Amino acid sequence: MATNTITAPAVLSIPQWTPVPETQYDLDWADLVTLDLSKFDTLGGKEVLAQQLSDAVNRIGFFYITHFGLTQEQVDRQFSLCKQVFDLPETEKIRYRADLENGGYNGYKPAGLRELKPGIKDNTEIYNIPKFTPEYARDHPAVIREHWDEIERFARHVHFEIVRKLLVLFALVLKLPEDHFLNIHRYPENSDCHFRYMKYHRRTAQQNADLDNVWAKGHTDFGSLTLLFRQPVAALQVRTPEGQWKYVKPYPESITVNIADALQFLTNGFLKSSIHRVVAPPPDQADLDRYGVLYFVRPEDDTELVPLDNSPVLKRLGYDQTLDSATVGLTAGEWVKARVARNVSRVGKEEESIIKGVKARYYD
Ligand SMILES: O=C(O)CCC(=O)C(=O)O
Ligand SMILES: [Fe+2]
């Protein structure tokens, strides 16, 4: 009789990332709803979560989730890998450069492509890993290839266990069939969903002063949702409907989620694509590089970005009309690629025409 041997996946050794301490500064934190995703599979739990979500989303478009089925250790491993990737020599990283100029962004984005203010470049490195399907196969640095299975398991968990639940909750908020958004976010189909490692290099006090402390101008994200794994350097701010900037607190064992453009287009503005920015960290974190692990959710490429006409909620509230016909004929794939391409070497403009007359705004 054959013996079944269960072998634990090899955990290849890499230097461990230790989260930095949180700031001691009492910052002006945003008051955001927290969804406990462990309720999702309990009797009546989805409905409770959907109610919590509807209270949150048409105001600010940012919320937290907890109990999402990944341990802190698994999350920290991704931060360790993130650091390993950016510790590689520039000559190695640049071999995997993304085709940003043509709206492609999978692979490496070096720091310094964009001028934030005359003479001051951005300080952000990015490494984007697309869906783990044959269509998106590409070469990666050895440290990623050697940990491929672990990264894939992590990213697929995010998509199938976390994003799936969130997309069901959004359908419930709009009183649509539960699978409405799942049907336009199918994993095997082509879409620009991707997993991201990110590093903001620390800046000098002089550079921060020259930048008025703004590292990434206020913007909206391009797809459906963005998930940010908790990282302790306080720098992310969300803009309230009243136009104030509030810090997003990095709560332990939480993920910060924000709504992005595609969901705003699909709901004719009922779901708000949240405006957020990244600023210089407080003085007790000023000497730290800021690492990030994120997952960007985007609709399938051929999804037309027209307002839904079958949501009783949108109907009741008058959001079912094509009040703004600007996005008619625009697909999610076109929108994302156009925004990426326009973003590469953007200089500090307030408003920018992206594609087919649809504009994006940037905020100080
Ligand atoms: O680094 C962050 O906290 C936010 C990043 C962000 O807004 C983005 O990459 O679109
Ligand atoms: Fe963003």
Side-chain angles (χ1 to χ4, degrees):
M1 204 175 94
T3 325
N4 275 334
T5 327
I6 300 172
T7 40
V11 178
L12 294 174
S13 112
I14 48 166
Q16 198 181 326
W17 183 81
T18 320
V20 298
E22 278 185 33
T23 178
Q24 296 304 306
Y25 281 77
D26 185 20
L27 302 174
D28 188 9
W29 304 108
D31 185 17
L32 305 176
V33 160
T34 301
L35 305 186
D36 173 356
L37 277 197
S38 68
K39 288 191 189 151
F40 188 89
D41 291 316
T42 62
L43 192 65
K46 277 191 286 214
E47 289 68 24
V48 170
L49 291 172
Q51 185 56 50
Q52 259 191 297
L53 191 56
S54 9
D55 294 343
V57 291
N58 63 353
R59 213 185 106 74
I60 207 157
F62 256 84
F63 57 98
Y64 299 112
I65 54 174
T66 57
H67 301 101
F68 40 81
L70 293 166
T71 63
Q72 193 59 49
E73 197 186 351
Q74 286 169 313
V75 174
D76 288 349
R77 277 280 292 179
Q78 293 307 316
F79 277 91
S80 304
L81 284 164
C82 167
K83 180 164 187 321
Q84 290 307 299
V85 169
F86 296 122
D87 279 354
L88 294 171
E90 197 62 31
T91 47
E92 168 68 4
K93 289 182 282 193
I94 208 71
R95 292 174 50 200
Y96 306 95
R97 191 188 189 282
D99 187 15
L100 295 154
E101 290 73 7
N102 294 310
Y105 50 81
N106 294 316
Y108 179 60
K109 181 204 94 71
L113 291 186
R114 191 178 309 138
E115 197 162 56
L116 300 177
K117 286 249 162 109
I120 311 181
K121 301 273 178 79
D122 79 86
N123 63 347
T124 315
E125 286 183 87
I126 293 176
Y127 196 89
N128 286 331
I129 303 176
K131 280 179 164 174
F132 292 76
T133 56
E135 288 75 15
Y136 294 103
R138 54 181 286 134
D139 199 12
H140 298 281
V143 64
I144 291 191
R145 277 186 277 116
E146 285 160 6
H147 295 85
W148 191 247
D149 291 350
E150 185 181 352
I151 300 170
E152 175 169 1
R153 270 198 308 280
F154 191 93
R156 281 182 178 267
H157 178 92
V158 173
H159 197 97
F160 286 96
E161 293 305 319
I162 306 177
V163 171
R164 173 180 62 84
K165 290 175 184 164
L166 294 176
L167 291 175
V168 168
L169 294 179
F170 277 104
L172 292 178
V173 165
L174 296 165
K175 300 212 181 325
L176 291 167
E178 280 194 14
D179 59 359
H180 182 89
F181 291 118
L182 298 180
N183 291 337
I184 52 169
H185 292 86
R186 293 166 298 179
Y187 200 82
E189 300 300 318
N190 285 0
S191 82
D192 292 314
C193 291
H194 63 281
F195 185 54
R196 170 181 294 188
Y197 298 138
M198 204 164 181
K199 176 179 181 181
Y200 297 81
H201 292 255
R202 71 194 94 167
R203 289 201 180 270
T204 61
Q206 184 58 54
Q207 282 176 332
N208 283 332
D210 290 346
L211 287 170
D212 300 322
N213 281 330
V214 177
W215 281 6
K217 258 181 181 279
H219 64 277
T220 59
D221 292 344
F222 316 156
S224 311
L225 296 171
T226 305
L227 280 68
L228 294 106
F229 283 86
R230 186 241 181 202
Q231 67 79 21
V233 180
L236 176 61
Q237 291 186 328
V238 55
R239 191 169 184 267
T240 67
E242 294 75 37
Q244 287 170 303
W245 293 105
K246 302 261 186 185
Y247 281 90
V248 177
K249 195 169 173 63
Y251 285 105
E253 308 203 356
S254 73
I255 298 176
T256 301
V257 184
N258 69 267
I259 296 173
D261 294 345
L263 285 186
Q264 175 162 326
F265 289 143
L266 290 171
T267 60
N268 212 4
F270 173 69
L271 297 176
K272 298 277 179 293
S273 187
S274 58
I275 300 157
H276 53 284
R277 68 178 186 180
V278 179
V279 297
D284 57 351
Q285 295 184 319
D287 292 335
L288 301 170
D289 292 323
R290 182 173 182 270
Y291 292 93
V293 173
L294 298 87
Y295 189 77
F296 288 83
V297 187
R298 290 171 174 177
E300 292 170 28
D301 283 349
D302 57 9
T303 307
E304 276 210 55
L305 297 177
V306 286
L308 297 163
D309 60 5
N310 57 341
S311 159
V313 174
L314 297 186
K315 215 166 241 149
R316 180 163 51 80
L317 299 174
Y319 284 93
D320 59 326
Q321 315 290 323
T322 306
L323 300 174
D324 175 359
S325 58
T327 58
V328 170
L330 189 61
T331 65
E334 287 173 325
W335 175 249
V336 169
K337 281 181 188 59
R339 279 210 70 180
V340 173
R342 304 290 287 170
N343 212 17
V344 187
S345 52
R346 182 169 52 79
V347 268
K349 272 199 263 171
E350 294 261 300
E351 188 171 77
E352 181 146 51
S353 207
I354 302 295
I355 184 172
K356 297 184 181 172
V358 189
K359 296 190 169 94
R361 277 204 67 185
Y362 292 90
Y363 303 76
D364 279 322

